[in-house]
Amino acid sequence: MISIKKLNYGFGTKKVLENINLDIRENEAVLITGSNGAGKTTLLRIIAGVLFPYPGTFQYGLALGNQPMSRIGFISDQISLYQSMSLQEAIAFHSQLYQVKNFDTTILTEAKLDLKKKISDHSVGQKLIFHLSLVLSTRPKLLLLDEVLHAIDPYLREICLKRILDLLILGETTLVMVNLNFHDIENIPQRVVIIRDNTIALDQPLEILKDKVKKIVSKKEMPELHALHERSFADRHEYYVYPFEESMLKDQGCEVLDLNLNDIVTAFIGGEYA
Amino acid sequence: MLKKEFKDAIKTFFFYCGFSIVLSVLTYLAIIFTIDSGVSSLEMIEILVHPFMLLLAFTLGVSFFLREKFEGAFEYLLSLPLSRKQIIFRKIIPRLIILLAALTLYAVMIVPLTGFRHFVTFPSFACIYISVFFIGISLSLNRRKGVATVFQSVFFFIFSSAIFFLFTYLAVYWQFFIKDQTAYFKKEGIFAKILQDEPLTILAAFAAFSLAFFIMFVFRFTHTDLKNQGKIPLTKYIRFVPLFTLIFFLGFFLNEYQPRNTQAPVFRYEFAGGRLLQENGYDVFIHDRVGRHRIKLDISNQICNLLIQKTPKEDRCFLWDDLTLYRLDPQSYYPQTMYSMNSDDTKLFVKKSGNKVYLGEAGWRRTASRQFMYTSRLVTIDLDSGKHKVTDADFIDANPLFINSADSNQRSILSEIRAFKNDRINTIDLQNGSLNKIIMHTKDAIASIKKKYPDLSDPKPGQFRPIGRTELLIGLESKKTNDVSIFKLDDKGVISPWQTENAKRLELIQEYVYRETRSDSSPFEAVIIRWDYKNQVHRLCFNEFKSEKERFIRFIRSEENMDVYLFFDDWSRSFENIHDNTRKDIGRLPSTYDIGYKYFKSAEWNTIKLNVFTSGFGAVAKYSRKYSDPDDSKVSFFRPFMPWIKNYIVKVFAFPDLKEIDFGKL
Amino acid sequence: MQMNKNETQAFALNLNVKSAVPIFEQVRNAVKTAIFLKKLNEGDQLPSIRELALQYKINPMTALKAYSLLEADGFLFSRRGSGFFVQIDKDKIKKEKKGVFEKEVEGFIEKINGLGYSVIDLKDELEKYVKGK
């Protein structure tokens, strides 16, 4: 669906993305994450068509058809909408451009949003819900979400996730999310891409990561582990290792623990800050 | 998206209008309270409307992405399924429509009222107007951050400006080096001169420049993502260069080869030997087989009055500029000074008659008793010998009358100059130079008239007119109606009513009527109508001095096919209404009494010629830009609006029955 | 969409996100356990992929994978248009149960070994337990 080869992006002397190679297949659910300022949002913007890559490094696949932009739904981390429009106007505007015939207002009703009020009269969470419903209404083939869910209250978040999952269930959508918060979406992505030092540090299916990224707790120091990230406490040392091998536990007094997504990502990013 | 853009553009337009109306009101108040309280609303409109329009165009341009910038909707816009080109297209169309609608409104409503008095014609103004819009768009995405953006913009700005100036330089070079062999280009103010001579070229260069700027903007927007990624394809940009060149040369050639009707010489005279003297605006050229040569004059090069005989036999011509009478001989390109006034003096009148020129001048002189006094005199210049004679005569405020007679060859020559002042009829006999003064006892006469006709009011200062060396016409207005009763007073104190066929309608026209019959059967040639502040025709020509501000302008010159001339009586306002603004020395006129005299030459040029229908109501204003062109087939832009203008003026300015007035023999 | 109360009770799924066990595996195990414990019986309808995904916020592909594997194992069958239904194959279940049993024992032994007790100790303890009953 998307093919990225040796993508470089920067402005002036500042390099934001270096040598990015990424292929996204149809109906995948991909999580892109990394430390702040790693370039995730920039990457997403490039995919969305808002920023231009250098020629030859980026290509939309056939699945997106002749007009890729009309099949892409994008929500950026800063709410970008014509805020002085009323919800109704924005819906009409959006629908006309994306040729949406019947706009489904159920999310908005559930969120108790008044269609006649202006966008700017709403809270951040409400704006996000609205933007999301706009985007979802176009039944995008590629859904790009940049840190969208954190500002929405838990109830509405639930609703939004269900809507997103609906699209995944129907098998029509490919999801690329940028998130720094994994609580709600632990089980949604199938693949995790971590951006570090402006390049892709990791690109693996989540199952493998769950299998191979472990935390080893030991009383002794174990520098030979070449851990991704380590934490030292008074009574113990914690090492995040990848890929995990049984042989790492040769010493007694070592314990190996499984990690959730949050910890996995921390392991990778934490190394960056060390 | 078009609908939304339309709404946005209209919002911008109304916001701008509101803002500028407030600003205009404040400006108006500021002006009337500080500078000049005689500014009328029409004048105000005129002053403000051009910057208003240009700023409107610019505002509509820079507000191109205003909403996106303000509301942070840029990303949303760019992520929509519209190509960058489509975005620009959908934004430009509504704004262009509004722009053109405003321009049309302006053309239809304001222009006929105020005229187009700037040095550029209306189409040129429209061109500047639209160019400014595109420049505005090109600047709409400039941001402070992003040094690279700045460099890019600056680079292309310099590039475009270089083209602009290169072409302008070429135009200068062409005009002055190649075409015209006189070394005029060395004078200062070359670009101002170019602006005057080659306005279309400059305009075309400006249009090309703004187009270049705009195209650079379009490329930047469509090929880069505004964070400076992506390169502007220079090769693609280069393909527009022929377009710009074309636009420029189009302007250049239009300028070069257009029939210069608006600047068409009214006077073209043949010299002996097939040479042609041509007065073209302020420039005088001689054409001969070699080429066209601009005549060099010492002073400001402002020709005001060309005294040239029209017969081919005449082999010399005389030219006036501000202060000097020149004679130009057929073989030379350089005029000879015949007579020069002091620069402080004021020219009261100039009349040419036969081979003599009679100049009334006024200025400060030291009298016999060694006092400085402001006096006037008559200077008689003999065109053949070049000698001049000075006779003291009091013409100041006297409004002299010029009496013609025929010479032995039945040519009309000026025989007498007559003026009524301070109860005296002063007559200068130009044949023998004698000055004749007759005292008329007007006070007594008026008193006795009023005794007999109590409903008549006192005559106003201008309502006296000598008809002959010993007779005076006095006009007294009825207190109830606008009718005027005219009485004749002679030097013996005899009063008699004075009737002519149209006496009832005849308004007494004092000293501002120049009656010159070209043939015996020819009727009166000129009538003056006064037009007051409200642009209403008040009455026919009464020489009324309501205040210092109101003056009638001396009308002297006769022309072919002259019908009716309309003069504004408030110089400070009207002068700019009808005056060609290229006269640098005019500026803002003080409303003092000597305006009429000092700038009288301008008066002749700045008239709206009215054709008076014999059926009664109605006047149609025909605009001539600089001269009262008898043919005036060059109404050009205004032609389509003529019927409208006619109706409009008739309604607003309808004045009472006006028939061709025969003043009979005075 | 709300699930049937019966089904909710029958099929308890607590996803352990920290576990290295993949989600599909966890779902699979939960279904099997429910079948073993007779909480799910022959012919009971299981939640649809959609319901599963929505309720537990898992990727539908994951849910699909779990069900596909269960189907391959023979624990459920799908009827087109109707959904997924439990299938009881007694032999298979017996086999699975045995497998689970063995695994649990193994795990248990490892645990007690860790505490310092041997299999002999276990045997003694078990005898005590049985005698006590």
Side-chain angles (χ1 to χ4, degrees), chain B residues 431-448:
Chain B
Q431 302 306 315
N432 53 38
S434 63
L435 179 59
N436 204 312
K437 292 187 192 182
I438 308 279
I439 297 175
M440 311 293 290
H441 302 284
T442 51
K443 282 208 183 82
D444 301 331
I446 290 165
S448 65

PDB file of all heavy atoms in Angstrom, chain B residues 431-448:
ATOM      1  N   GLN B 431      -4.775 100.967 -31.612  1.00  0.00           N
ATOM      2  CA  GLN B 431      -4.185 101.480 -32.851  1.00  0.00           C
ATOM      3  C   GLN B 431      -3.206 102.612 -32.558  1.00  0.00           C
ATOM      4  O   GLN B 431      -2.082 102.599 -33.034  1.00  0.00           O
ATOM      5  CB  GLN B 431      -5.283 102.001 -33.793  1.00  0.00           C
ATOM      6  CG  GLN B 431      -6.315 100.957 -34.165  1.00  0.00           C
ATOM      7  CD  GLN B 431      -5.670  99.712 -34.742  1.00  0.00           C
ATOM      8  OE1 GLN B 431      -4.778  99.808 -35.592  1.00  0.00           O
ATOM      9  NE2 GLN B 431      -6.102  98.561 -34.286  1.00  0.00           N
ATOM     10  N   ASN B 432      -3.692 103.530 -31.735  1.00  0.00           N
ATOM     11  CA  ASN B 432      -2.788 104.658 -31.465  1.00  0.00           C
ATOM     12  C   ASN B 432      -2.255 104.639 -30.038  1.00  0.00           C
ATOM     13  O   ASN B 432      -1.496 105.511 -29.655  1.00  0.00           O
ATOM     14  CB  ASN B 432      -3.494 105.998 -31.750  1.00  0.00           C
ATOM     15  CG  ASN B 432      -4.813 106.091 -31.004  1.00  0.00           C
ATOM     16  OD1 ASN B 432      -4.932 105.644 -29.862  1.00  0.00           O
ATOM     17  ND2 ASN B 432      -5.821 106.687 -31.628  1.00  0.00           N
ATOM     18  N   GLY B 433      -2.670 103.675 -29.260  1.00  0.00           N
ATOM     19  CA  GLY B 433      -2.114 103.545 -27.930  1.00  0.00           C
ATOM     20  C   GLY B 433      -2.672 104.490 -26.896  1.00  0.00           C
ATOM     21  O   GLY B 433      -2.181 104.580 -25.780  1.00  0.00           O
ATOM     22  N   SER B 434      -3.718 105.221 -27.243  1.00  0.00           N
ATOM     23  CA  SER B 434      -4.209 106.209 -26.280  1.00  0.00           C
ATOM     24  C   SER B 434      -5.110 105.562 -25.251  1.00  0.00           C
ATOM     25  O   SER B 434      -5.740 104.548 -25.494  1.00  0.00           O
ATOM     26  CB  SER B 434      -4.978 107.303 -27.019  1.00  0.00           C
ATOM     27  OG  SER B 434      -6.119 106.719 -27.647  1.00  0.00           O
ATOM     28  N   LEU B 435      -5.145 106.143 -24.104  1.00  0.00           N
ATOM     29  CA  LEU B 435      -5.953 105.646 -23.003  1.00  0.00           C
ATOM     30  C   LEU B 435      -7.045 106.646 -22.728  1.00  0.00           C
ATOM     31  O   LEU B 435      -6.789 107.827 -22.518  1.00  0.00           O
ATOM     32  CB  LEU B 435      -5.090 105.448 -21.763  1.00  0.00           C
ATOM     33  CG  LEU B 435      -5.793 104.957 -20.504  1.00  0.00           C
ATOM     34  CD1 LEU B 435      -6.470 103.634 -20.738  1.00  0.00           C
ATOM     35  CD2 LEU B 435      -4.791 104.857 -19.378  1.00  0.00           C
ATOM     36  N   ASN B 436      -8.252 106.172 -22.741  1.00  0.00           N
ATOM     37  CA  ASN B 436      -9.412 107.024 -22.597  1.00  0.00           C
ATOM     38  C   ASN B 436     -10.136 106.662 -21.307  1.00  0.00           C
ATOM     39  O   ASN B 436     -10.452 105.514 -21.081  1.00  0.00           O
ATOM     40  CB  ASN B 436     -10.331 106.750 -23.800  1.00  0.00           C
ATOM     41  CG  ASN B 436     -11.227 107.911 -24.079  1.00  0.00           C
ATOM     42  OD1 ASN B 436     -11.863 108.445 -23.184  1.00  0.00           O
ATOM     43  ND2 ASN B 436     -11.254 108.307 -25.336  1.00  0.00           N
ATOM     44  N   LYS B 437     -10.395 107.637 -20.461  1.00  0.00           N
ATOM     45  CA  LYS B 437     -11.099 107.325 -19.217  1.00  0.00           C
ATOM     46  C   LYS B 437     -12.365 108.137 -19.119  1.00  0.00           C
ATOM     47  O   LYS B 437     -12.325 109.364 -19.237  1.00  0.00           O
ATOM     48  CB  LYS B 437     -10.222 107.671 -18.008  1.00  0.00           C
ATOM     49  CG  LYS B 437      -9.019 106.809 -17.865  1.00  0.00           C
ATOM     50  CD  LYS B 437      -8.317 107.134 -16.545  1.00  0.00           C
ATOM     51  CE  LYS B 437      -6.946 106.467 -16.540  1.00  0.00           C
ATOM     52  NZ  LYS B 437      -6.226 106.701 -15.293  1.00  0.00           N
ATOM     53  N   ILE B 438     -13.455 107.470 -18.886  1.00  0.00           N
ATOM     54  CA  ILE B 438     -14.733 108.168 -18.744  1.00  0.00           C
ATOM     55  C   ILE B 438     -15.319 107.816 -17.397  1.00  0.00           C
ATOM     56  O   ILE B 438     -15.379 106.647 -17.023  1.00  0.00           O
ATOM     57  CB  ILE B 438     -15.729 107.719 -19.841  1.00  0.00           C
ATOM     58  CG1 ILE B 438     -15.122 107.826 -21.230  1.00  0.00           C
ATOM     59  CG2 ILE B 438     -17.037 108.468 -19.699  1.00  0.00           C
ATOM     60  CD1 ILE B 438     -15.150 109.208 -21.821  1.00  0.00           C
ATOM     61  N   ILE B 439     -15.751 108.818 -16.709  1.00  0.00           N
ATOM     62  CA  ILE B 439     -16.384 108.571 -15.411  1.00  0.00           C
ATOM     63  C   ILE B 439     -17.878 108.383 -15.596  1.00  0.00           C
ATOM     64  O   ILE B 439     -18.534 109.172 -16.260  1.00  0.00           O
ATOM     65  CB  ILE B 439     -16.136 109.742 -14.448  1.00  0.00           C
ATOM     66  CG1 ILE B 439     -14.622 109.866 -14.177  1.00  0.00           C
ATOM     67  CG2 ILE B 439     -16.878 109.497 -13.131  1.00  0.00           C
ATOM     68  CD1 ILE B 439     -14.265 111.050 -13.347  1.00  0.00           C
ATOM     69  N   MET B 440     -18.392 107.294 -15.025  1.00  0.00           N
ATOM     70  CA  MET B 440     -19.823 107.037 -15.082  1.00  0.00           C
ATOM     71  C   MET B 440     -20.372 107.191 -13.686  1.00  0.00           C
ATOM     72  O   MET B 440     -19.808 106.652 -12.739  1.00  0.00           O
ATOM     73  CB  MET B 440     -20.110 105.606 -15.578  1.00  0.00           C
ATOM     74  CG  MET B 440     -19.361 105.212 -16.832  1.00  0.00           C
ATOM     75  SD  MET B 440     -19.894 106.135 -18.260  1.00  0.00           S
ATOM     76  CE  MET B 440     -21.497 105.476 -18.527  1.00  0.00           C
ATOM     77  N   HIS B 441     -21.476 107.871 -13.560  1.00  0.00           N
ATOM     78  CA  HIS B 441     -22.024 108.066 -12.216  1.00  0.00           C
ATOM     79  C   HIS B 441     -22.984 106.944 -11.890  1.00  0.00           C
ATOM     80  O   HIS B 441     -24.197 107.091 -11.949  1.00  0.00           O
ATOM     81  CB  HIS B 441     -22.719 109.427 -12.147  1.00  0.00           C
ATOM     82  CG  HIS B 441     -21.778 110.539 -12.483  1.00  0.00           C
ATOM     83  ND1 HIS B 441     -20.822 110.987 -11.580  1.00  0.00           N
ATOM     84  CD2 HIS B 441     -21.590 111.268 -13.605  1.00  0.00           C
ATOM     85  CE1 HIS B 441     -20.117 111.955 -12.156  1.00  0.00           C
ATOM     86  NE2 HIS B 441     -20.553 112.135 -13.387  1.00  0.00           N
ATOM     87  N   THR B 442     -22.382 105.818 -11.568  1.00  0.00           N
ATOM     88  CA  THR B 442     -23.218 104.629 -11.389  1.00  0.00           C
ATOM     89  C   THR B 442     -24.055 104.686 -10.122  1.00  0.00           C
ATOM     90  O   THR B 442     -25.182 104.223 -10.090  1.00  0.00           O
ATOM     91  CB  THR B 442     -22.349 103.364 -11.357  1.00  0.00           C
ATOM     92  OG1 THR B 442     -21.291 103.554 -10.409  1.00  0.00           O
ATOM     93  CG2 THR B 442     -21.779 103.062 -12.721  1.00  0.00           C
ATOM     94  N   LYS B 443     -23.506 105.273  -9.106  1.00  0.00           N
ATOM     95  CA  LYS B 443     -24.252 105.279  -7.841  1.00  0.00           C
ATOM     96  C   LYS B 443     -25.580 105.998  -8.003  1.00  0.00           C
ATOM     97  O   LYS B 443     -26.640 105.504  -7.596  1.00  0.00           O
ATOM     98  CB  LYS B 443     -23.431 105.979  -6.752  1.00  0.00           C
ATOM     99  CG  LYS B 443     -22.349 105.116  -6.184  1.00  0.00           C
ATOM    100  CD  LYS B 443     -22.018 105.513  -4.741  1.00  0.00           C
ATOM    101  CE  LYS B 443     -20.867 104.682  -4.198  1.00  0.00           C
ATOM    102  NZ  LYS B 443     -19.561 105.195  -4.600  1.00  0.00           N
ATOM    103  N   ASP B 444     -25.483 107.165  -8.614  1.00  0.00           N
ATOM    104  CA  ASP B 444     -26.728 107.914  -8.809  1.00  0.00           C
ATOM    105  C   ASP B 444     -27.688 107.145  -9.685  1.00  0.00           C
ATOM    106  O   ASP B 444     -28.890 107.071  -9.430  1.00  0.00           O
ATOM    107  CB  ASP B 444     -26.422 109.264  -9.469  1.00  0.00           C
ATOM    108  CG  ASP B 444     -25.470 110.068  -8.601  1.00  0.00           C
ATOM    109  OD1 ASP B 444     -25.503 109.869  -7.357  1.00  0.00           O
ATOM    110  OD2 ASP B 444     -24.686 110.889  -9.142  1.00  0.00           O
ATOM    111  N   ALA B 445     -27.128 106.562 -10.718  1.00  0.00           N
ATOM    112  CA  ALA B 445     -27.978 105.821 -11.650  1.00  0.00           C
ATOM    113  C   ALA B 445     -28.701 104.687 -10.956  1.00  0.00           C
ATOM    114  O   ALA B 445     -29.904 104.487 -11.104  1.00  0.00           O
ATOM    115  CB  ALA B 445     -27.126 105.309 -12.806  1.00  0.00           C
ATOM    116  N   ILE B 446     -27.981 103.956 -10.190  1.00  0.00           N
ATOM    117  CA  ILE B 446     -28.593 102.806  -9.509  1.00  0.00           C
ATOM    118  C   ILE B 446     -29.682 103.268  -8.556  1.00  0.00           C
ATOM    119  O   ILE B 446     -30.760 102.682  -8.464  1.00  0.00           O
ATOM    120  CB  ILE B 446     -27.523 102.010  -8.746  1.00  0.00           C
ATOM    121  CG1 ILE B 446     -26.594 101.286  -9.746  1.00  0.00           C
ATOM    122  CG2 ILE B 446     -28.162 100.971  -7.819  1.00  0.00           C
ATOM    123  CD1 ILE B 446     -25.337 100.782  -9.147  1.00  0.00           C
ATOM    124  N   ALA B 447     -29.392 104.358  -7.876  1.00  0.00           N
ATOM    125  CA  ALA B 447     -30.379 104.865  -6.920  1.00  0.00           C
ATOM    126  C   ALA B 447     -31.677 105.220  -7.621  1.00  0.00           C
ATOM    127  O   ALA B 447     -32.766 104.859  -7.173  1.00  0.00           O
ATOM    128  CB  ALA B 447     -29.808 106.081  -6.197  1.00  0.00           C
ATOM    129  N   SER B 448     -31.533 105.846  -8.759  1.00  0.00           N
ATOM    130  CA  SER B 448     -32.775 106.249  -9.429  1.00  0.00           C
ATOM    131  C   SER B 448     -33.508 105.065 -10.013  1.00  0.00           C
ATOM    132  O   SER B 448     -34.724 105.018 -10.057  1.00  0.00           O
ATOM    133  CB  SER B 448     -32.462 107.304 -10.490  1.00  0.00           C
ATOM    134  OG  SER B 448     -31.670 106.776 -11.506  1.00  0.00           O
TER     135      SER B 448
END
